Amino acid sequence: MSAIEEHAPASILDQDLYKFCMQQAVLQHYPDIDAEYRFVNRDPSILFNREAFEWLLEQISSMAELRATSNDLEYLRSACPYFSAEYIAFLSEFRYNPSAEVTCSLDEDLGLLSLHVSGNWTCIILYEVPLLAMIAEAHYRFVDVDWSYEGQRAKIAAKGKMLARAGCRFAEFGTRRRRSFKTQDIVMSELSQIRSSGGGIAGTSNVYLARKYGVPPVGTIGHEWIMGIAALENTYKDADRLALLKWQQTYSGRLAVALADTFGTRVFFASFDRELAGTYNSVRHDSGDPLAFAQAVCEHYRGLGIDLSTKCILFSDSLTPEIAIGIKNQCDSYGIGCSFGIGTNFTNDFNLASNPALAGTALNIVIKLFRCGGRPCVKLSDDKTKYTGDVDEVARAQSELAQFYQQ
């Protein structure tokens, strides 16, 4: 068994796969576009102090030292054959430049953290996941310290076995919300053992841990790809379709998972015609009622004359093992495949050390694309609490898409 690491490795691969995938697509289609990302704390009760802030600044500054090693590049060539030689060459020269690209400040009176990233889209797209992981760790190192690792191995082992017994195919998606790197390392240490004894883990989004534990790195596309294209092509109605077509141009049928909720599933289904539904083998749910979504996807496929047994739905929104098993039972009854990406419940499910009967608080933080090519970016989602972006631009998007919301 691999040793658990106490601290995050100084590795460019301590990153979610889908960020590399989107970086390659941006490099191909929009290499000269500038962009801006902003940090959003969805829970105003989550605060930061000076000690957490100073530690965070040190971690951000250290990103300038990260390089893709020859071993890293060789691993990516082997594990991710959809990465082109041109992209691997680009990544070999890639460097973070946090002093020029990241701005971070703290309002000490209110305990509020502000952070934004700006620069060439291809160069800054990799910041989101490691920054979120650093922000979370800063909070749990210096603000919320009423927790310990006691019982974590047993807890994650029980979750993995529950999912495997139910026949659930699942992946670990917890990098961005992890309490610490050590937490995620423990999670993968336990889940990889279940996999090796015939369980249902399909892989992890974290490329470093995928290599460490010999499981596939998994991930495809994020909302920012569709948000950015909507801004650059100046359309919300056609953004899903354009994004899927451009993704297909880059990956030629691989990584064929369509994300459905950037501007709402009704908008998505209007674009997801017979051609695209035939090309993409899976649809991902990331907001709204998962059971209603599964039913809507099946109805859409049936309307297009597509055999449900040839398709799959990937669920990734606020999952627990119990929720995943309930969703699987429903999908089984429809005759459609399903899989699950579980993040926060794997890497940030702790009880208070002072009172183990009480659950700790998991962060609800994001870093979202705010501007691309000089135009504002928004996300509408199927959950209004997940709307992000400039208020006026959100209103403009809703106006353009009003016909879909009135159905």
Side-chain angles (χ1 to χ4, degrees), residues 191-207:
L191 294 181
S192 64
Q193 293 182 66
I194 295 170
R195 175 181 180 272
S196 64
S197 61
I201 185 170
T204 172
S205 61
N206 186 289
V207 182

Side-chain angles (χ1 to χ4, degrees), residues 31-329:
D32 300 318
I33 295 297
D34 284 343
E36 179 186 349
Y37 291 78
R38 292 190 181 182
F39 170 70
V40 178
N41 185 351
R42 291 172 173 162
D43 183 351
S45 69
I46 299 298
L47 306 178
F48 295 83
N49 58 27
R50 171 56 60 174
E51 199 172 8
F53 178 66
E54 295 292 348
W55 181 88
L56 176 61
L57 291 182
E58 291 178 5
Q59 306 311 304
I60 294 172
S61 178
S62 71
M63 295 181 77
E65 305 303 317
L66 295 179
R67 307 283 189 274
T69 68
S70 59
N71 287 339
D72 294 339
L73 298 172
E74 185 56 39
Y75 172 75
L76 291 175
R77 288 189 190 97
S78 173
C80 309
Y82 38 80
F83 287 152
S84 68
E86 292 78 11
Y87 176 63
I88 294 295
F90 168 85
L91 199 59
S92 72
E93 299 295 328
F94 173 80
R95 303 290 185 269
Y96 291 105
N97 186 9
S99 63
E101 295 165 341
V102 182
T103 302
C104 188
S105 62
L106 176 70
D107 184 327
E108 288 192 71
D109 293 334
L110 298 177
L112 301 179
L113 182 71
S114 174
L115 181 146
H116 71 267
V117 183
S118 59
N120 175 272
W121 194 12
T122 308
C123 295
I124 67 172
I125 196 169
L126 295 187
Y127 275 107
E128 175 199 0
V129 172
L131 285 179
L132 286 172
M134 291 171 188
I135 291 168
E137 185 163 353
H139 178 78
Y140 292 112
R141 273 176 174 260
F142 302 105
V143 182
D144 180 355
V145 296
D146 188 8
W147 60 279
S148 77
Y149 291 104
E150 184 177 353
Q152 282 301 300
R153 281 190 175 276
K155 182 182 288 189
I156 192 62
K159 291 177 180 180
K161 290 173 182 176
M162 179 188 299
L163 288 161
R165 282 195 300 268
C168 290
R169 181 176 173 81
F170 64 94
E172 186 276 318
F173 273 17
T175 307
R176 68 184 56 233
R177 303 281 175 80
R178 69 192 186 196
R179 193 157 287 212
S180 64
F181 177 83
K182 180 179 178 179
T183 302
Q184 193 177 16
D185 202 2
I186 291 170
V187 167
M188 281 309 303
S189 175
E190 291 299 320
L191 294 181
S192 64
Q193 293 182 66
I194 295 170
R195 175 181 180 272
S196 64
S197 61
I201 185 170
T204 172
S205 61
N206 186 289
V207 182
Y208 179 90
L209 290 172
R211 180 174 62 178
K212 179 174 180 177
Y213 289 103
V215 302
V218 295
T220 55
I221 188 171
H223 297 99
E224 67 200 275
W225 173 246
I226 305 165
M227 293 164 63
I229 288 175
L232 294 170
E233 306 296 342
N234 194 26
T235 177
Y236 291 106
K237 183 171 68 72
D238 297 324
D240 284 307
R241 177 174 178 78
L242 288 173
L244 292 172
L245 289 172
K246 289 178 182 292
W247 193 259
Q248 168 69 6
Q249 290 169 17
T250 300
Y251 289 105
S252 303
R254 292 179 287 192
L255 306 181
V257 180
L259 180 57
D261 71 327
T262 307
F263 303 116
T265 52
R266 288 180 177 176
V267 179
F268 170 79
F269 285 136
S271 293
F272 201 54
D273 57 18
R274 184 65 174 77
E275 176 188 1
L276 287 173
T279 300
Y280 283 80
N281 53 35
S282 299
V283 177
R284 179 157 78 94
H285 168 269
D286 199 50
S287 66
D289 184 337
L291 300 182
F293 179 81
Q295 181 177 358
V297 169
C298 291
E299 290 174 355
H300 188 73
Y301 280 138
R302 290 192 193 102
L304 297 173
I306 292 176
D307 182 355
L308 295 183
S309 67
T310 67
K311 298 298 178 181
C312 180
I313 306 174
L314 169 60
F315 296 87
S316 60
D317 181 37
S318 303
L319 295 175
T320 66
E322 294 81 3
I323 292 173
I325 291 168
I327 293 170
K328 182 182 186 300
N329 291 338

